[in-house]
Amino acid sequence: MPRPRKPASPFRYFNSSPEVIRLVVMMYVRFPLSLRNVEDLLFERGIDISHETVRMWWNRFGPMFAGDIRRQRRSAMRGFRHWRWHLDEMYVKLNGEMVYLWRAVDQEGEILESFVTRARDKDAALRFMKRALKHHSAPYAITTDGLRSYRAAMNELGNTAKQEVGRWVNNRVENSHLPFRRRERAMLRFRRMKSLQKFASVHANIHNHFNLERHLVDRQTFKERRSAALAEWQSFAS
DNA sequence: CAGCCCATACCGGTAGCGCT
DNA sequence: AGCGCTACCGGTATGGGCTG
């Protein structure tokens, strides 16, 4: 009988410890810092890495960490009966061209899905919704704006009954654009659909993980949650 | 407004480290 | 010991800010 082999650690070839790599990825994705900003900040604390290393690490480990966060969220929401999704699109500039970033956000402000397309039509809406439904269990209701592509896509999926069109009752979902816009600005620009797609989805998941709504809870509670979020962060991809 | 300057992300190539 | 892979370097394209 073959001896059960321990899966190789994704950190095995890297010169730096998993702790440092996790710190770097968190700094770069979570805050509006450039690759070089991260390099310089770490240098001040005695860690010597190149900005290119920062780029490589977020590309390699960002999706892994994001996947861990998403899986956690998915199992926490399994069986939840009053899950409501809000669908929305925003413009993002990509090499001078405008593309669309579709997003599904739930009633708690968690960003469930990010999807980049060149067109804003039924086909794009359909692909976006199928992807969201693949990654999460189906919600109780879906709210959209008046864009007709949503209705057409819902007809195709056969779940029109769940759709509610209207202005959203709160601005929570619109607010979730802000962190991405701030981050987008620090990156100067996106060049390829693939890296925009990757960044949008990694950013959304990491934002969810560290979004502790500090204004809604007392300081003690906030500090406990923050410690918990950091401790969990240090366990990802291990 | 035009032209210049600077900071940035991204890419190909490769030395040599570190894993098996 | 052999080789897969990381980390880094030099180069390029490009957008925003600045100056006049």
Side-chain angles (χ1 to χ4, degrees):
Chain A
M1 198 163 138
R3 203 168 57 176
R5 193 113 79 92
K6 214 166 89 180
S9 160
F11 300 99
R12 80 198 128 147
Y13 280 112
F14 291 79
N15 295 339
S16 305
S17 68
E19 288 71 28
V20 168
I21 292 176
R22 291 190 181 103
L23 175 65
V24 165
V25 175
M26 180 184 78
M27 286 172 80
Y28 182 66
V29 177
R30 192 178 161 202
F31 303 107
L33 302 169
S34 68
L35 298 169
R36 288 157 175 84
N37 289 158
V38 175
E39 169 180 343
D40 291 348
L41 280 169
L42 286 169
F43 184 75
E44 287 176 20
R45 310 298 297 178
I47 299 171
D48 187 6
I49 53 167
S50 134
H51 62 277
E52 279 293 272
T53 304
V54 179
R55 190 167 71 88
M56 173 159 200
W57 287 355
W58 94 256
N59 265 286
R60 171 67 63 85
F61 292 99
M64 284 189 209
F65 300 154
D68 282 355
I69 294 169
R70 198 178 59 212
R71 273 188 290 279
Q72 251 182 13
R73 178 69 179 171
R74 182 166 60 179
S75 62
M77 296 309 280
R78 186 162 289 142
F80 180 63
R81 293 202 175 276
H82 302 287
W83 210 13
R84 176 184 293 274
W85 294 5
H86 302 271
L87 307 185
D88 180 35
E89 337 82 53
M90 66 195 277
Y91 286 106
V92 182
K93 212 165 155 187
L94 176 79
N95 252 347
E97 175 194 7
M98 291 308 243
V99 298
Y100 300 94
L101 173 57
W102 304 72
R103 318 217 301 164
V105 181
D106 72 10
Q107 73 280 356
E108 290 179 26
E110 294 266 330
I111 304 160
L112 306 167
E113 190 66 47
S114 311
F115 191 59
V116 182
T117 65
R118 289 191 191 280
R120 188 173 63 168
D121 56 10
K122 173 189 162 189
D123 176 61
L126 193 59
R127 283 187 293 136
F128 163 59
M129 290 171 69
K130 277 184 178 166
R131 204 171 134 105
L133 289 165
K134 197 173 104 186
H135 284 154
H136 304 275
S137 54
Y140 150 79
I142 296 177
T143 308
T144 68
D145 59 25
L147 181 67
R148 300 232 282 283
S149 314
Y150 288 123
R151 174 158 290 278
M154 296 284 248
N155 281 333
E156 183 103 6
L157 287 169
N159 58 356
T160 320
K162 284 185 175 178
Q163 189 190 19
E164 299 171 11
V165 178
R167 298 201 65 79
W168 298 339
V169 285
N170 58 37
N171 56 6
R172 205 167 196 169
V173 185
E174 291 289 352
N175 281 347
S176 77
H177 292 344
L178 294 177
F180 183 83
R181 287 295 187 204
R182 277 199 295 270
R183 196 62 194 74
E184 180 191 19
R185 177 157 182 74
M187 303 199 67
L188 290 197
R189 70 187 176 283
F190 294 103
R191 289 203 191 164
R192 318 179 82 95
M193 290 279 276
K194 206 175 148 193
S195 61
L196 169 56
Q197 173 66 63
K198 185 189 271 191
F199 187 83
S201 119
V202 169
H203 179 267
N205 280 291
I206 291 182
H207 178 262
N208 289 346
H209 184 74
F210 288 105
N211 179 24
L212 304 167
E213 307 197 281
R214 71 205 298 163
H215 59 292
L216 295 180
V217 298
D218 62 273
R219 176 137 183 96
Q220 188 56 35
T221 311
F222 165 71
K223 287 172 75 171
E224 284 163 13
R225 288 189 191 171
R226 180 171 61 185
S227 297
L230 275 172
E232 273 185 65
W233 177 255
Q234 282 298 339
S235 75
F236 289 144
S238 55

